[in-house]
Amino acid sequence: MLFGGKGSGKSTFTNRLLYHHPPNAIKHFARIAIVDLLECPETQEKIDQEVWSQLIQELDKDSILSANREKLLSLFHDRFDVAKRQDLAGLKEDSETYNVRLNALVANWKADREYCAVKLADHAKRERKGVIIVLDNTDQFSPSNQDYCFTLAHHVSTQLDCLVVISMREERFYFSKLHGTLDAFHNSGFHLTSPKPETVFARRLVYLLRLLDDPAKTRRVAPEIDDEQINNVKTILRVFLREFRNPKSHLNTFIKACAHGNMRLALDLFREFVLSGYTRVDEMIAEPRWTLQIHQVLRPMMVPYRLFYDERKSSIPNVFQIRSEVNGSHFTGLRVLQILTADMNALNPDYIALSRIRAHFADRFNMLDDVEKTLDVFLRGGLVESNNRIDEYDEAIDSIKITAYGRYIYEVLAHNFSYLDLVSLDCGVHDQGVGDSLANFGNLDRDLFLSHQKRERISARIDKVREFLNYLAREENIEREVYGLDTQDRILMIDLRKKYDIDETRVLRSANRNYGQNANLGFDELNGIGEADE
């Protein structure tokens, strides 16, 4: 059993171990068969067919099944011996009847995929090669089909007398080990931890730079690229490499926190960042010492190909979203994160009983449905994690704790100007006037963006965020009165507004550098903004 978190590199590990850097025992004395079920339909019949079909294809390295009949009869010698005593008895070997009947028997034997796999494994053993089979990407299936994959792997191991490695998600492994199929079998489990994202990105970028240092290799991939374009790409890659080697870099910090060990998600986020229309590649080329600011990372990640943010199409959740249609609050997400961060150990946060969180929101706010839906979003997004590694809301979860990503959103993004600017239009609001006002700001934002009026757009966006924050402050005051919250309950908007004001000052100060002392942004005191994508 090879188990690890989502995107931890289980497939990469097995391919590297078995193909790219195999030990001598595997390199010289093993026959490898990796069965990839990534695109297999999720039915047990299809899984069974796909496993045996790929097994035969991977084990038949000598193309015996497509060879002449003599080689096939040598492979199927046990059934052939029986057939000579039974089905073919009394027939002359050079007769037409004998050959027709034998051909039909061989066709039936070839159609028996399980039998073919067993005989191909025996053939490999006669060549002094042990068989190693990997069932990969079984963790995409439902729990019942994951259990079926394990029982199928056990059957394959027994029939072929070989080693079978099967990959599973952590949460499914532990659950099945205690309550499911795995508790009935003896097996060896090996945990695979996720690599550090900064290490993965740094190595890939160094590899690319090494390729670009050899124009001949580069032009094999992109024949049309010229020397100037190669130098421009190298400049951009060096900017990214410097960011990932800096532990305080906004790009490095954001991807590391957001991916939460999922390297597939980290790579997807970086690809969206690079390909986004908001990433100012031209400015990076002009200034090789370019340092990315948080807004230059956040907007490309949250809305890589669109003007407006939509939580359903983004990897970054909206913590101010009301999720219950019956009774919900803009502050449920923040309150959950607040509970999980209270008196926590920064290096190893404590698990908090899920029953305690549910009881708190049910008794004090009557918002059990809202907090359950919020926890589902947080678990799926990696802001919190459960003690049994289940990554969606389920009453089987005993306790949860905040992750580095949850802390990052709570301590950094929740009061960040760019984040608030994007999520404000995605929130359902209780006040019709505020909803109309935010919609008007959204239309104005679009018009100013299309007409390239940067200063006016910045002014409108800051007005929009202030309108949103004023509305949130009023909503919190209403909730404090309706639910009778006492002084022990922290007033979220006071802390959030203080931190936002500091960020807005940074925004204004940067605008002053970009647009000059006479930039007319409509404020009493101009300090600037720094949105390279604006």
Side-chain angles (χ1 to χ4, degrees), residues 62-261:
D62 300 326
S63 302
I64 297 178
L65 295 180
S66 58
N68 56 45
R69 194 176 72 178
E70 283 67 27
K71 284 191 175 182
L72 283 175
L73 293 176
S74 176
L75 182 68
F76 302 145
H77 63 87
D78 55 339
R79 290 190 175 182
F80 181 47
D81 290 340
V82 174
K84 285 190 292 186
R85 296 193 300 269
Q86 297 177 0
D87 298 79
L88 303 176
L91 299 176
K92 293 183 178 181
E93 294 187 9
D94 57 351
S95 68
E96 181 180 357
T97 303
Y98 177 92
N99 284 283
V100 169
R101 186 170 296 181
L102 179 57
N103 288 341
L105 289 172
V106 171
N108 288 333
W109 299 337
K110 283 183 64 177
D112 188 344
R113 294 178 177 178
E114 184 173 336
Y115 173 71
C116 286
V118 171
K119 302 314 295 182
L120 289 170
D122 291 342
H123 174 74
K125 293 169 190 174
R126 289 195 293 271
E127 296 184 339
R128 298 181 179 273
K129 291 184 181 291
V131 176
I132 300 176
I133 297 170
V134 180
L135 296 188
D136 197 14
N137 288 312
T138 64
D139 51 2
Q140 63 169 321
F141 297 136
S142 63
S144 61
N145 281 332
Q146 286 188 50
D147 286 345
Y148 175 75
C149 287
F150 174 79
T151 56
L152 179 59
H154 186 268
H155 177 69
V156 170
S157 175
T158 302
Q159 293 297 104
L160 275 63
D161 189 24
C162 64
L163 171 65
V164 177
V165 179
I166 181 171
S167 60
M168 295 182 75
R169 296 264 176 90
E170 283 178 299
E171 61 273 13
R172 188 60 203 158
F173 174 81
Y174 286 119
F175 182 83
S176 188
K177 184 76 173 174
L178 295 174
H179 309 291
T181 304
L182 297 187
D183 65 352
F185 296 92
H186 171 73
N187 56 78
S188 300
F190 298 90
H191 180 256
L192 189 66
T193 57
S194 299
K196 294 182 178 179
E198 59 266 35
T199 303
V200 174
F201 282 105
R203 288 180 176 178
R204 292 190 178 207
L205 292 168
V206 168
Y207 172 71
L208 286 174
L209 286 168
R210 194 182 304 127
L211 288 180
L212 289 166
D213 285 336
D214 187 341
K217 289 184 179 179
T218 303
R219 292 191 175 99
R220 290 176 196 162
V221 180
E224 72 283 357
I225 195 170
D226 56 35
D227 291 340
E228 181 181 359
Q229 290 171 325
I230 290 176
N231 289 330
N232 289 341
V233 173
K234 290 169 68 174
T235 299
I236 297 168
L237 294 181
R238 290 192 187 102
V239 172
F240 294 151
L241 180 60
R242 190 167 57 252
E243 291 287 326
F244 283 111
R245 284 177 171 172
N246 178 8
K248 296 183 179 180
S249 155
H250 293 294
L251 178 62
N252 187 10
T253 303
F254 181 87
I255 288 184
K256 182 163 58 176
C258 185
H260 187 49

Side-chain angles (χ1 to χ4, degrees), residues 12-23 26:
T12 302
F13 172 79
T14 53
N15 277 278
R16 179 180 174 85
L17 173 66
L18 299 177
Y19 286 137
H20 300 290
H21 296 282
I26 293 178

Side-chain angles (χ1 to χ4, degrees), residues 457-475:
R457 185 177 178 224
I458 293 171
S459 176
R461 289 172 60 210
I462 291 184
D463 286 343
K464 176 177 62 178
V465 173
R466 289 178 172 179
E467 173 85 9
F468 182 59
L469 292 178
N470 290 337
Y471 159 75
L472 291 178
R474 293 194 300 272
E475 285 293 300

Side-chain angles (χ1 to χ4, degrees), residues 387-404:
N387 62 324
N388 48 9
R389 307 296 293 173
I390 297 176
D391 57 359
E392 60 184 19
Y393 182 79
D394 192 295
E395 292 186 0
I397 297 174
D398 298 318
S399 56
I400 60 174
K401 71 175 181 179
I402 195 169
T403 65

